[in-house]
Amino acid sequence: MARVVFLGGLGRSGTTLVERLLGELPAVCALGEVVHLWQRDVRDDERCGCGARFSECAVWRAIGEAAFNGWHNVDVDRIIALRATVERTRFIPRLAARTLPRALHDAVLEYAAYYTSVYEAAALTAGAEVVVDSSKHSALAHCLRWSPALDLRVVHVVRDPRGVAYSWTKSVTRPETDGTEEMTRYSAGRSALLWTGHNAAFGLLARRGVPTLRLRYEQLLADPRGELARIGEHAGLPLREDDLTFVDRDAAELRTGHSAAGNPMRFLTGRVELRRDDAWRDALPPRQRALVGAVCAPMLHKYGYKEIS
């Protein structure tokens, strides 16, 4: 049974950083955002975190051979069609039910089986005990919980929604497309609604019995070793002090990774500074800051963010 740590939450909440840090731990294989693997990598041949084209990356080539006897055997059209059928945020109320209609149940299991094959192959080829998927999508996590072949453990990553909103307004180039595309942008109001919806969906997942650990982005940066140890315990990987020497309060030493997709920081290697990005406090216009604070107020308090002005 594949043991999977699924990093969930809304984008721009720090999940790529969490994934990179977890990838430095022993017996862990970090895969990036597997939800985008099928279109961006298998079909579009974008760049792996190591910098090579997906088709040229030896790590992903080995995973494809172990999972499907080669990526050429993967029916990407079928996976995309299944995703439209089962993995949508609006489907979460149905996915969170205690039973599913037979047709939906079969489709969910088929969709989850593609991910399970990747997880199992990645663990096998890397000799890892735990696989990390930073896909974030709450609907995907709700699909994966139905798979009897997965030991699913969620790390629910939250960040102050005003910082998230500001990040979504910025123009960010996607390096994996060699500068031809930018990451999606949202208005402050739109990101506030998404922040509320996705985080609520992970709360629902926890109530359905999926082991879930909440991780505040700000706390990770305040105490990276302590928070990584907490995640390790949640993942069933008790860590020794020697396992965490690559990180301190100010920076982490990162090796080349092989993430399938994610924030541009997945391409960084060497000594990477760890610091809170609080630029939103000055750069996010007061009216937008107030709007986000008002929309997200109940959950701001729930997650320990007291200031809502």
Side-chain angles (χ1 to χ4, degrees):
M1 180 177 290
R3 196 185 329 161
V4 177
V5 170
F6 187 96
L7 303 182
L10 183 62
R12 314 296 178 90
S13 294
T15 51
T16 301
L17 172 60
V18 178
E19 183 237 341
R20 293 298 308 278
L21 295 176
L22 292 177
E24 296 297 322
L25 299 177
V28 173
C29 178
L31 298 179
E33 299 176 6
V34 182
V35 70
H36 297 303
L37 171 72
W38 320 107
Q39 177 66 50
R40 295 182 183 178
D41 296 306
V42 178
R43 174 163 287 174
D44 294 344
D45 201 25
E46 292 186 357
R47 295 192 183 277
C48 168
C50 69
R53 291 288 179 187
F54 178 79
S55 61
E56 298 169 353
C57 174
V59 169
W60 280 107
R61 197 156 52 238
I63 293 173
E65 288 294 330
F68 307 107
N69 291 321
W71 292 109
H72 62 280
N73 288 317
V74 176
D75 187 346
V76 175
D77 289 334
R78 176 58 180 167
I79 297 173
I80 292 174
L82 281 169
R83 180 178 178 182
T85 302
V86 301
E87 195 227 305
R88 288 287 184 269
T89 303
R90 64 178 179 271
F91 298 158
I92 288 177
R94 282 191 291 170
L95 293 169
R98 301 194 183 281
T99 60
L100 295 177
R102 179 60 181 271
L104 178 59
H105 183 264
D106 290 347
V108 167
L109 288 187
E110 182 184 353
Y111 184 62
Y114 286 102
Y115 289 84
T116 301
S117 294
V118 171
Y119 300 148
E120 290 178 340
L124 176 67
T125 56
E129 295 180 35
V130 172
V131 171
V132 179
D133 180 353
S134 58
S135 289
K136 296 188 291 292
H137 291 198
S138 51
L140 174 56
H142 276 271
C143 288
L144 295 176
R145 87 171 179 96
W146 287 97
S147 172
L150 289 182
D151 178 355
L152 180 66
R153 307 183 187 198
V154 169
V155 174
H156 175 200
V157 184
V158 296
R159 180 187 177 191
D160 189 307
R162 292 154 296 192
V164 173
Y166 173 63
S167 183
W168 278 113
T169 65
K170 295 190 293 185
S171 297
V172 179
T173 300
R174 295 182 59 228
E176 55 268 59
T177 66
D178 297 332
T180 62
E181 296 181 17
E182 290 188 346
M183 298 180 71
T184 303
R185 299 172 66 188
Y186 291 132
S187 68
R190 174 67 171 164
S191 71
L193 291 172
L194 290 171
W195 185 90
T196 300
H198 281 283
N199 287 321
F202 280 101
L204 179 57
L205 193 70
R207 291 196 294 275
R208 287 295 176 263
V210 177
T212 302
L213 175 72
R214 184 174 298 139
L215 172 69
R216 283 183 26 157
Y217 166 78
E218 296 82 2
Q219 183 58 31
L220 172 72
L221 294 179
D223 182 18
R225 287 190 179 181
E227 292 304 283
L228 286 173
R230 202 163 64 94
I231 297 172
E233 183 177 357
H234 179 65
L237 285 175
L239 299 175
R240 301 170 303 174
E241 189 173 335
D242 289 349
D243 297 329
L244 298 168
T245 55
F246 71 92
V247 63
D248 56 36
R249 293 180 68 93
D250 300 315
E253 197 70 32
L254 301 180
R255 296 168 295 181
T256 299
H258 294 278
S259 52
N263 186 283
M265 74 90 53
R266 70 193 179 98
F267 294 102
L268 298 180
T269 58
R271 187 169 175 82
V272 176
E273 185 180 359
L274 301 180
R275 60 179 179 82
R276 284 180 54 153
D277 181 3
D278 286 335
W280 64 268
R281 294 183 180 275
D282 297 318
L284 189 65
R287 292 184 63 181
Q288 294 183 27
R289 191 164 63 246
L291 171 63
V292 175
V295 171
C296 303
M299 297 182 76
L300 272 169
H301 285 286
K302 178 179 180 180
Y303 297 151
Y305 299 107
K306 302 300 184 183
E307 177 192 348
I308 63 172
S309 61

